Amino acid sequence: MSHEWISDYWLPSLGLHHYSEIFRMCLVDARMLEHLTKRELRTMLKMVDASHRNSLQYGISVLKKLDYNRSSLEYRGSNISVESLKDVMLWTSSHVIAWVDLIG
C-alpha cells in the first residue's frame, strides 16, 4: 500500500483526513505504520492528540486483521448502508456517524 493510498484514502476513512498532507510528505506507507513510535507520531507527523493516535492504532490493527488486503478496505469505504454492512470492523467513520444518526 503506497503512501498516496494511505494518505488519500485510508486516513480519511478513519476520520483523520487532516493528517493526510503530512503523511504524504513523510512518505508513510503501510509497511511503516506499525513501526511508528508515539514520539514520531507527535513530533514528525504532528499527531499530538491522544485520541487521534488511538484511532490510528485501531486502524492499524484492522489493517493487520485484514492482512493488508486493499480490496477489503476499499469495499468498506464504498457507499454501503450501515444496515447491509454487518461486520463492524469494516465500518468507516462515515458508517459510524450514519449508525449514530440511525439510532437517534
Side-chain angles (χ1 to χ4, degrees):
M1 295 176 183
S2 69
H3 66 278
E4 291 97 352
W5 190 85
I6 293 295
S7 63
D8 297 341
Y9 177 81
W10 185 69
L11 283 173
S13 78
L14 298 176
L16 299 173
H17 60 279
H18 41 285
Y19 297 104
S20 292
E21 185 177 338
I22 190 78
F23 271 65
R24 191 179 315 106
M25 285 175 38
C26 292
L27 303 175
V28 177
D29 62 9
R31 293 173 298 174
M32 294 177 63
L33 286 173
E34 63 184 291
H35 302 290
L36 291 171
T37 65
K38 188 176 182 180
R39 183 177 182 184
E40 290 169 334
L41 289 171
R42 281 195 321 253
T43 57
M44 295 174 52
L45 297 172
K46 312 297 185 222
M47 192 175 283
V48 294
D49 190 316
S51 64
H52 292 178
R53 290 192 305 273
N54 287 337
S55 293
L56 183 74
Q57 291 301 321
Y58 285 122
I60 293 169
S61 69
V62 169
L63 282 175
K64 287 183 196 178
K65 286 180 183 177
L66 295 175
D67 199 27
Y68 294 88
N69 184 335
R70 187 172 169 166
S71 61
S72 293
L73 292 167
E74 288 173 346
Y75 169 77
R76 78 188 266 271
S78 60
N79 292 328
I80 299 171
S81 70
V82 171
E83 297 86 5
S84 65
L85 192 57
K86 303 293 184 212
D87 189 354
V88 176
M89 188 170 80
L90 298 178
W91 287 15
T92 63
S93 59
S94 300
H95 288 109
V96 173
I97 292 168
W99 174 73
V100 170
D101 286 343
L102 185 69
I103 64 169

